[in-house]
Amino acid sequence: MSAATTRSRTPDRLCAEAVDLARAAAEEAAAPGVVGDHVGAVSEGDRVVTHLFACEESGYRGWRWAVTVARASRAKVVTLDETVLLPGPDSLLAPEWVPWSERLRPGDLGPGDLLPTDAEDLRLEPGWSDEDNPPPNSVVAEPSVAESAAAGADVAAAAVLAEEAAAPDAVPGVDTSAAPAAAPGEVSEDLAALAEAEDAEVTPGPAARVGTPVPTGRTAPATSRGAITEVAEELGMGRARVLSRYGLHTAADRWEESYGPKTTMAQAAPASCASCGFLVPVAGSLRQAFGVCANEFSPADGRVVSLSYGCGGHSEAAVMPKPPQPVPPVLDETRVDPLPLRPAPDSGSVQTEGPAEEFGHS
């Protein structure tokens, strides 16, 4: 490496002696009385030196004013480069900034707060929606051009089969022997009268027979998208995104950690929640491992608990015995017990015979 590209580790003498110039620049940038003692000088390169001054301003403990001076080659005059306030090794700094999505903790969401979810959230996956294109093999998939042509040919073949299979008993209760044949695409008068009597709707077109096989190479009639949408909404499948397997596992791990078999309450419990009468089972695959506690005196009331969890409020842990019931009295109606209306003369403690005491009975 050449000498021209090598930076000197020794501060330039003229730049190192320009302490007063650096102090004046620091005092001009800072408030009066804020610039402290000269801490040191650091060589930044050839004929470039940074002077460090202590910062006496409250709230900036350990910070230093850094004033960089420099001079041109073979020049005797030192010029000012820049003045900044930099933290020192013992300075008080703010903690590293963390995005709000990483700072958020369970329980931070309050009334009126909105918590947006990431579009690529691993806990969610796309759900069924009528706006999405169905799979190619779905019953609601749009047929291709070739399929449409084949379907048209099948319709023509089905019309020929329907004409050949037309018989007087095609419509029960209607005599079509004397009735004139209806034009293609029209409904006969007798069939219209029957439809009106039955309050039914008749679609003009070739007659179809029940049990007629679907021609080879043609799929069954597609189910309408509206019918599937209604069923999907009833089953809860109309959501844009649903819980993914990853989201399901993370939720199960979180519930297992809070109300699982390793908790102190579960280890001291007389029995597990699997045999508790207050456990409400959940639906889906979580039914085999979790349930909802419905015991108002349990610390897990209204929470999702593991079947291995337990507490002292178990329904069968300490069943209180019923209080003893007194035996009903037995009445003996075969004998009569005499009940005197007046006590016998000799039944008292005072003797009627003999001299009376002076001051009465003691």
Side-chain angles (χ1 to χ4, degrees), residues 86-105:
L86 298 178
D90 300 331
S91 60
L92 181 62
L93 299 176
E96 185 179 357
W97 183 81
V98 180
W100 69 268
S101 58
E102 300 179 8
R103 296 196 307 267
L104 194 64
R105 292 294 178 267

Side-chain angles (χ1 to χ4, degrees), residues 156-172 176 206-213:
V160 175
L161 293 176
E163 292 178 358
E164 294 177 355
D169 57 349
V171 180
T176 59
R209 296 179 59 89
V210 178
T212 302

Side-chain angles (χ1 to χ4, degrees), residues 168-308:
D169 57 349
V171 180
V174 179
D175 185 9
T176 59
S177 58
E186 296 182 358
V187 181
S188 63
E189 296 179 359
D190 296 336
L191 184 59
L194 179 62
E196 183 178 358
E198 297 292 338
D199 193 14
E201 295 181 1
V202 179
T203 303
R209 296 179 59 89
V210 178
T212 302
V214 179
T216 306
R218 182 185 175 190
T219 59
T223 307
S224 62
R225 183 183 296 272
I228 293 183
T229 302
E230 294 178 0
V231 176
E233 291 179 355
E234 293 181 0
L235 298 179
M237 298 172 59
R239 295 173 293 175
R241 289 190 293 178
V242 295
L243 193 65
S244 63
R245 183 171 295 274
Y246 172 78
L248 189 66
H249 288 175
T250 54
D253 294 341
R254 186 171 62 254
W255 297 337
E256 187 84 12
E257 183 179 357
S258 300
Y259 297 97
K262 297 183 180 181
T263 58
T264 306
M265 181 68 70
Q267 294 178 359
S272 63
C273 294
S275 58
C276 183
F278 295 107
L279 182 72
V280 179
V282 296
S285 59
L286 293 178
R287 183 187 182 94
Q288 303 177 0
F290 295 95
V292 179
C293 179
N295 189 353
E296 60 179 333
F297 301 105
S298 173
D301 180 34
R303 304 295 184 91
V304 179
V305 297
S306 172
L307 297 183
S308 302

Side-chain angles (χ1 to χ4, degrees), residues 123-142:
R123 301 171 300 172
L124 301 174
E125 62 183 8
W128 187 92
S129 176
D130 56 351
E131 298 178 358
D132 299 336
N133 294 328
N137 57 347
S138 175
V139 294
V140 296
E142 298 295 340

